[in-house]
Amino acid sequence: MTDGWTAGNANEDAADTRGWLVGHFIDPSRGVRASKDVEVKWANHPAGDKRPEWTSDDQRTTLVMLVSGEFRVEVTGGSTVMNRPGDYLMWGPGIDHSWEALADSVVLTVRWPSAT
């Protein structure tokens, strides 16, 4: 890492932050990865991994994109199964969600703003 830019591996660099690579909760010593504007997560989910509880009143916009595998996301008022690389689901403030990996999956999540 240098001033103003960084390079690395998402699996390694986000290992101690539950997959979160960018966000307000990243130590400022990590440089541009510490951001109040956006959060980025790289997540490896084994088949059967799930979030059984629903989020509650999140006031951010979220984009979830499938890199590989098969992944279901349930949101207030509906659900979708993503099974092709590049499939995505996006929702705005006030929409609750839960998810389940139907197969081993890699998922990229982007949320904004970071600090709420």
Side-chain angles (χ1 to χ4, degrees):
M1 182 190 74
T2 66
D3 290 338
W5 68 276
T6 190
N9 178 276
N11 286 313
E12 295 170 2
D13 293 348
D16 61 350
T17 52
R18 295 184 6 246
W20 291 102
L21 187 63
V22 176
H24 75 278
F25 39 75
I26 301 297
D27 189 296
S29 70
R30 303 308 301 162
V32 295
R33 289 182 48 207
S35 172
K36 292 182 180 173
D37 298 321
V38 67
E39 297 172 0
V40 178
K41 183 176 190 176
W42 180 265
N44 296 283
H45 295 287
D49 193 17
K50 62 182 165 182
R51 179 186 183 125
E53 71 280 354
W54 283 64
T55 62
S56 179
D57 196 35
D58 193 1
Q59 294 302 308
R60 296 176 284 185
T61 300
T62 301
L63 166 70
V64 176
M65 184 175 294
L66 183 70
V67 176
S68 64
E70 187 173 16
F71 199 77
R72 179 177 59 229
V73 180
E74 297 187 34
V75 294
T76 305
S79 70
T80 191
V81 174
M82 299 178 288
N83 54 28
R84 296 181 306 150
D87 283 352
Y88 70 92
L89 175 63
M90 187 171 178
W91 62 89
I95 301 295
D96 296 340
H97 78 281
S98 185
W99 52 261
E100 180 178 10
L102 303 176
D104 291 349
S105 301
V106 177
V107 177
L108 177 71
T109 301
V110 181
R111 297 191 301 204
W112 63 93
S114 179
T116 57

